């Protein structure tokens, strides 16, 4: 269990989690215990165990987050809950992110992707090369996509205010929760209060308009239960902030890894480019923009996205807590202990994915075995935004490979964890428009 109190937290958070988990798995087998962040944990590394905790016996394991994080997002956000309230909110979020709703968003997401990239390449005409932090830029893009799916249209001044305070909350989210004024965490709590105020203003305005739109805010506002009950403003605000959080770093991390994998695998980039240029060409001939059906028909690109999700395993594991003593395969998971299915170990296990450290999209020509590929989790808490995440990634790739060139700056290997795995320093990169010459 490591040191008293902090256990093995430092070992886990300061090195490649692959190393930490695999050494343990080698020594102890598919189930072992540890102590992370002061909590005794049972780590599970088999597909069957992941299914047991997340799907078949999910009622025995509740999602659990540190209180400090709950306060920053809002206690009514759906991922802090289990049972009926969770099911209801999950349905509403799914409705706003359903394929039907996403279809109409393609041109808008495309416009956001293009304006983001124009920005990255913007600084080249005056002969000085501008280095961008790929992860930060991808975060801006995924934030804008999040705003679009939550609010539809949002007035620029409100969007700016939201953005400003959201970034402060975001910065404090993984900082040490302290009661000392002016620490990152306390600044984040203040910014969260401001976010609440801005959201109440938007909610109030929307209530007066009585719109029947498909965006998340409309879905939450217009919901009526069988007894005429509705969601209150706090519940709506907490869930909006929850969705913004969920939509952000995860998607941005994967998109950042994709830029890096393209750089590492030039042959692969060529085949993706060929696929996307063919789509671009047919659209240019008929003066069309990217269509929903085209985004559903990019087989080479899609496999690259799946392999990037497997390789990077952004969510290394979910935290669950046993609500009772649970027995699994003769092991006792005591009530109150955390149970952590290790997605990362499963995704990097040679039994399920041969030569797991090799980037090989063609492995997805055959569907992975059940419960061996869970980039979006599994069961009642699986990510309801998975289609949106894949869609914005495909749209980003389409424009990136057909209109831009890029080169990485500085050290190309190295991974940082904060808390998601990322290329070092957010992958500093220079971007050019395809038509401009290198300088």
């Amino acid at each position: 269990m490591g040191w008293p109190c902090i256990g093995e937290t430092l070992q886990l958070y300061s090195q490649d989690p692959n190393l930490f988990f695999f050494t343990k798995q080698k020594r102890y087998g598919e189930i072992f215990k540890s102590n992370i962040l002061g909590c005794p944990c049972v780590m599970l590394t088999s597909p069957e165990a992941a299914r047991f905790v997340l799907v078949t016996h999910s009622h025995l394991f509740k999602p659990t987050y540190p209180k400090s994080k709950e306060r920053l997002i809002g206690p009514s956000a759906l991922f802090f809950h289990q049972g009926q309230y969770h099911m209801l909110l999950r349905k509403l979020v799914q409705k706003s992110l359903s394929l039907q709703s996403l279809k109409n968003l393609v041109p808008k997401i495309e416009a956001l992707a293009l304006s983001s990239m124009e920005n990255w390449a913007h600084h080249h005409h005056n002969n000085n090369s501008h280095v961008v932090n790929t992860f930060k830029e991808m975060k801006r893009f995924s934030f804008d996509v999040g705003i679009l799916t939550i609010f539809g249209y949002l007035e620029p001044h409100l969007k700016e205010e939201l953005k400003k305070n959201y970034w402060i909350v975001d910065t404090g989210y993984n900082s040490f929760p302290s009661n000392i004024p002016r620490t990152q965490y306390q600044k984040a709590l203040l910014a969260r209060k401001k976010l609440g105020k801005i959201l109440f203003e938007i909610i109030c305005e929307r209530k007066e308009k009585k719109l029947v739109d498909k965006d998340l805010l409309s879905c939450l506002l217009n919901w009526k239960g069988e007894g005429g009950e509705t969601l209150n403003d706090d519940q709506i605000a907490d869930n909006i902030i929850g969705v913004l959080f969920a939509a952000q770093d995860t998607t941005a991390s994967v998109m950042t890894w994709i830029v890096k994998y393209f750089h590492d695998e030039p042959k692969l980039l060529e085949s993706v480019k060929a696929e996307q240029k063919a789509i671009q060409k047919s659209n240019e001939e008929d003066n069309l923009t990217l269509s929903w059906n085209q985004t559903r028909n990019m087989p080479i690109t899609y496999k690259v996205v799946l392999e990037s999700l497997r390789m990077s395993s952004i969510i290394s594991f979910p935290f669950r807590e046993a609500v009772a003593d649970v027995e699994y395969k003769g092991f006792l998971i005591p009530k109150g202990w955390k149970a952590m299915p290790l997605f990362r170990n499963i995704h990097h296990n040679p039994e399920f994915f041969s030569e797991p450290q090799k980037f090989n999209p063609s492995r997805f020509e055959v569907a992975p075995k059940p419960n061996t590929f869970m980039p979006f989790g599994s069961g009642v808490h699986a990510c309801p935004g998975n289609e949106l995440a894949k869609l914005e990634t495909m749209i980003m790739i389409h424009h990136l490979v057909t209109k831009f060139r890029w080169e990485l700056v500085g050290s190309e290997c190295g991974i940082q964890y904060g808390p998601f795995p990322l290329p070092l320093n957010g992958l500093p990169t220079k971007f050019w428009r395809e038509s401009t010459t290198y300088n």
Side-chain angles (χ1 to χ4, degrees), residues 221-232:
L221 273 176
N222 297 328
W223 176 76
K224 267 204 171 43
E226 286 169 9
E229 63 274 33
T230 55
L231 296 173
N232 66 38

Side-chain angles (χ1 to χ4, degrees), residues 98 109 181 232 286 363 379-380 416 427:
S98 67
I109 296 175
N232 66 38
D286 303 324
R363 65 174 86 244
V380 286
Q416 63 188 49
L427 200 70

